[in-house]
Amino acid sequence: RLLRRAGATITFVRNPRFREWSHAAQPAGNPAAIVWRTYPSIDAALQAVEQGRADWIFGILPPRELPRLRVDVPAQLHDNASFIVDFIPLNTHVAPFDDVRVRRALNLAIDRQRIVTLYGGPSAATPICQPLPAGFLGYHRICPYTARPAHDGVWRAPDLARARRLVRASGTRGDQIDVWGTSDNLGVPHGLPAYVASVLRSLGYRTRLRIRAGPHISYALRRTFQLSVDGDWAPDYPGPSAFLPPFFGCGGNYTNGYVCDAGLDDTMRRASAAELRAPDAAAGLWEKADRTIVDRAYWVPTVSSHAPELVSRRVGNYEVSPIWDFVADQAWLR
């Protein structure tokens, strides 16, 4: 409750009993104290760091501000790679997305380069066609949902002609689709739900845009969605078992009930079991699971968003973790 008030602070001080036992596991920290202060908005926090009244922002920088920050304070902005995957989850239990042809059509019609622009440009996001993040066990880049698909797995451009043929074959052209989005998810550009609605209209669907604040979207309501444009996820650890089963397993806790495929479930279960004793076999199984998810188009993966961070001019020894971002206890102030 304390941190809900603007201006509230929590101070973390050095533990006098700490002794470094392994520099790799837990190096000794540099700061004598770390003060966590709340601001009334992300814009206020951004201004505080730019003006040197604060040193780092915990949270996602607004995509609209990234082009300006790259010009005004390039030395303070760090464009970090991440394992964050952004996506449009599709409810495979309700029309029209209970038809795999419609799910594939939307994957083909989405202009991922335009979405990159909404995120702040190529240094802020990279187009993707699959849920498994680059660098994970079993990752092999693939992209069947592009114009001129090739073995390199690179997304090149949308293919509206193929997408429209699939929609015509499905017999769903003219159906009503509600496009849901959130008004307070900083990780997803505000213009993205409207863009997705425009793509669906170009495929011949009637659309209605439904925007609500995240706390007003219950799990029960989400299960009724045809699709939502608010998907972004960073795994708790860099492994496929932290990513694919929670969303695509029958017992997954993030899937919103959209996917339950017994064969896919078995593949992921065997992959998880093989990771320690047979990592090569596990990699093959995770790759198979990833390809199955892509082929059945359970999601529309859009971009892998990067993790840009802004620090003040006086921050030195900036270090970053691909999972936990800025490592504050290794920094010092000049």
Side-chain angles (χ1 to χ4, degrees), residues 10-308:
I10 293 178
T11 301
F12 301 89
V13 298
R14 184 185 294 275
N15 179 358
R17 296 183 178 85
F18 176 80
R19 297 293 181 271
E20 184 179 280
W21 73 94
S22 166
H23 187 76
Q26 179 58 71
N30 290 313
I34 298 173
V35 179
W36 189 320
R37 178 176 291 106
T38 60
Y39 287 85
S41 67
I42 190 69
D43 292 318
L46 193 67
Q47 188 178 58
V49 173
E50 286 188 82
Q51 296 176 353
R53 293 181 285 110
D55 297 299
W56 170 69
I57 296 174
F58 175 76
I60 299 170
L61 298 180
R64 68 180 185 279
E65 292 290 346
L66 294 177
R68 179 187 65 80
L69 292 172
R70 291 193 182 97
V71 173
D72 291 352
V73 287
Q76 295 170 235
L77 186 67
H78 296 268
D79 283 314
N80 303 314
S82 79
F83 296 128
I84 300 172
V85 168
D86 294 79
F87 58 93
I88 302 167
L90 306 175
N91 191 337
T92 63
H93 300 304
V94 299
F97 298 112
D98 56 347
D99 190 320
V100 68
R101 292 170 294 188
V102 178
R103 301 196 299 267
R104 288 170 179 163
L106 184 54
N107 267 281
L108 282 163
I110 285 289
D111 186 341
R112 289 167 171 84
Q113 191 55 53
R114 180 165 176 178
I115 295 176
V116 165
T117 301
L118 290 173
Y119 274 82
S123 58
T126 302
I128 58 170
C129 298
Q130 62 200 104
L132 194 63
F136 275 33
L137 183 69
Y139 173 81
H140 181 81
R141 187 169 61 184
I142 53 174
C143 187
Y145 302 118
T146 179
R148 306 179 305 281
H151 292 300
D152 59 10
V154 173
W155 182 87
R156 289 175 169 81
D159 191 335
L160 277 171
R162 261 204 300 163
R164 286 169 177 155
R165 285 197 296 270
L166 286 168
V167 170
R168 283 197 300 270
S170 74
T172 61
R173 194 173 190 277
D175 283 8
Q176 172 78 45
I177 298 178
D178 285 355
V179 178
W180 287 83
T182 53
S183 58
D184 53 356
N185 184 346
L186 291 175
V188 177
H190 290 305
L192 190 55
Y195 167 65
V196 173
S198 73
V199 172
L200 288 165
R201 286 195 298 273
S202 76
L203 294 176
Y205 294 104
R206 294 176 295 116
T207 65
R208 180 169 50 185
L209 201 56
R210 307 288 293 271
I211 306 296
R212 290 192 183 182
H216 296 157
I217 298 177
S218 66
Y219 282 109
L221 177 61
R222 190 175 288 275
R223 289 190 190 99
T224 69
F225 290 179
Q226 293 160 296
L227 85 167
S228 57
V229 189
D230 61 350
D232 68 304
W233 183 251
D236 295 330
Y237 56 90
S241 56
F243 207 101
L244 299 187
F247 285 103
F248 303 104
C250 292
N253 53 333
Y254 306 121
T255 182
N256 302 319
Y258 293 167
V259 178
C260 182
D261 181 313
L264 175 61
D265 230 34
D266 179 65
T267 299
M268 294 190 293
R269 192 162 45 244
R270 289 187 290 123
S272 293
E275 282 188 353
L276 291 179
R277 56 179 175 78
D280 288 345
L285 288 166
W286 284 124
E287 182 179 349
K288 178 183 177 182
D290 193 38
R291 287 180 179 274
T292 298
I293 293 163
V294 171
D295 179 62
R296 294 175 187 171
Y298 291 136
W299 272 5
V300 182
T302 56
V303 298
S304 173
S305 55
H306 305 172

